[in-house]
Amino acid sequence: MASFSGIWVALVTPFNNNAVDLPAVKRLAQYLIASGVSGLVVCGTTGEAAALSNEEQLAVLDAVLDVVPASQVVMGLSGNNMLDTLQMQQEIQLRDIAGVLIPAPYYIRPSQCGLVDYFTQLADASSVPVILYNIPQRTGIVMELQTIRKIARHPQVKAIKDCGGNPDTTMALIDDGEIDVMTGEDNLILTTLCLGGTGAISASAHIYPQRFVQLVQQVADGDLAAARANFYALLPMIHQMFSFPNPAPVKAALAQQGLIRNELRSPMQIVPQPLQQQIAVTLAQLQPEEALIS
């Protein structure tokens, strides 16, 4: 059985008057887990981790762990200062969690050898499974296939969140079978599952999460007609969730559902009013998951 599979939600961080809203964190985490998702990824890109202090990130993690089993919680770990990143890793590992999600160091654009060294140091220091996060549009550096393969040989590296934008790399990693391949591109969830990937770490799965969970089951059952119908019904919403910088559309949708406040930290901005109205229309048009033909 795959170590990391199914739908893991890249959790937003709710705010209230610019402060982290820990009660809302707990309510949202409970709602998503009750919806059947495999787990939550805390303080990743969608969680606005770059806008949080280390202390705030750990507070969010602790709030989630108060209401979600440790086996269903992964923590984001990013940085371009190795010593600081290792220190944060030590703080995170004082908690019992399922793993850490680690992107390449942003801004400094190291060589491929530098990437191997970076991830190896962090994997060596990790007491929990490591999920690689390949997202060159945010880090400024592409993790080449051979680089990923070298890193994947480390016994602590168990999976990858694939946002690399290269289908040949994705298919090669799936075919290798060395690590679990989860997409981070929500519009490729069905494609990745059908190719043999294990699941997704998804931002849009905040919205009607049961339908994303059902999608995974439909593919596993070989009911591709139902999976396609489900996915294509979700696709307009998925596109909408990335039509403005993430996680603003997701937060707008969650606010419309009464789950959190529609608030982000500067320089991130809430979505414009016309898009908020479009999101409301899309949410109204999506059928409840119970109405789907299974």
Side-chain angles (χ1 to χ4, degrees):
M1 183 176 179
S3 299
F4 294 99
S5 61
I7 300 296
W8 288 67
V9 177
L11 191 70
V12 301
T13 301
F15 297 115
N16 188 346
N17 293 319
N18 206 43
V20 176
D21 189 344
L22 294 177
V25 169
K26 292 182 180 182
R27 288 194 302 270
L28 182 59
Q30 288 175 309
Y31 161 73
L32 291 167
I33 292 298
S35 298
V37 302
S38 297
L40 306 177
V41 176
V42 180
C43 293
T45 303
T46 304
E48 296 176 77
L52 304 176
S53 68
N54 286 354
E55 291 75 18
E56 287 174 322
Q57 291 185 45
L58 293 171
V60 173
L61 175 59
D62 288 338
V64 172
L65 287 171
D66 279 346
V67 296
V68 176
S71 62
Q72 293 179 279
V73 179
V74 163
M75 180 65 172
L77 173 64
S78 63
N80 51 16
N81 180 307
M82 179 59 79
L83 290 179
D84 287 350
T85 307
L86 286 166
Q87 289 174 1
M88 182 62 171
Q89 183 180 27
Q90 291 175 2
E91 289 292 330
I92 291 169
Q93 292 179 167
L94 295 175
R95 287 90 173 152
D96 184 18
I97 57 174
V100 286
L101 176 70
I102 307 178
Y106 53 86
Y107 183 74
I108 55 178
R109 302 180 66 192
S111 67
Q112 296 299 303
C113 290
L115 290 173
V116 173
D117 180 65
Y118 178 81
F119 282 103
T120 299
Q121 287 194 56
L122 291 172
D124 283 346
S126 185
S127 61
V128 298
V130 170
I131 305 173
L132 307 179
Y133 186 7
N134 186 22
I135 183 162
Q137 61 266 46
R138 289 189 181 273
T139 63
I141 184 69
V142 173
M143 295 175 65
E144 297 175 359
L145 175 59
Q146 293 308 315
T147 299
I148 298 171
R149 281 173 164 161
K150 287 179 182 178
I151 298 167
R153 296 189 190 116
H154 195 288
Q156 282 295 80
V157 175
K158 303 297 185 183
I160 185 168
K161 179 181 179 181
D162 179 25
C163 297
N166 187 329
D168 288 334
T169 296
T170 302
M171 290 186 287
L173 292 172
I174 292 172
D175 189 45
D176 287 349
E178 291 294 324
I179 56 176
D180 299 328
V181 178
M182 306 182 76
T183 187
E185 302 286 355
D186 291 12
N187 63 329
L188 296 178
I189 292 176
L190 179 58
T191 301
T192 300
L193 289 169
C194 289
L195 286 170
T198 61
I201 297 176
S202 166
S204 60
H206 282 90
I207 316 303
Y208 292 115
Q210 298 95 332
R211 293 190 57 161
F212 286 84
V213 173
Q214 186 179 42
L215 176 65
V216 174
Q217 190 60 52
Q218 287 164 336
V219 175
D221 292 343
D223 193 350
L224 296 185
R228 282 193 293 266
N230 187 7
F231 182 72
Y232 282 119
L234 289 168
L235 195 56
M237 181 274 290
I238 291 172
H239 287 152
Q240 213 165 48
M241 291 302 102
F242 296 95
S243 63
F244 196 79
N246 178 48
V250 174
K251 282 193 163 183
L254 291 172
Q256 290 178 18
Q257 294 177 319
L259 292 167
I260 66 170
R261 290 168 61 97
N262 188 18
E263 185 176 336
L264 297 91
R265 276 194 175 165
S266 180
M268 301 299 290
Q269 302 289 301
I270 64 171
V271 299
Q273 190 61 35
L275 180 53
Q276 293 195 44
Q277 294 170 350
Q278 293 167 21
I279 290 170
V281 170
T282 299
L283 293 181
Q285 290 174 342
L286 272 173
Q287 295 179 2
E289 61 283 347
E290 292 84 0
L292 292 176
I293 298 173
S294 59

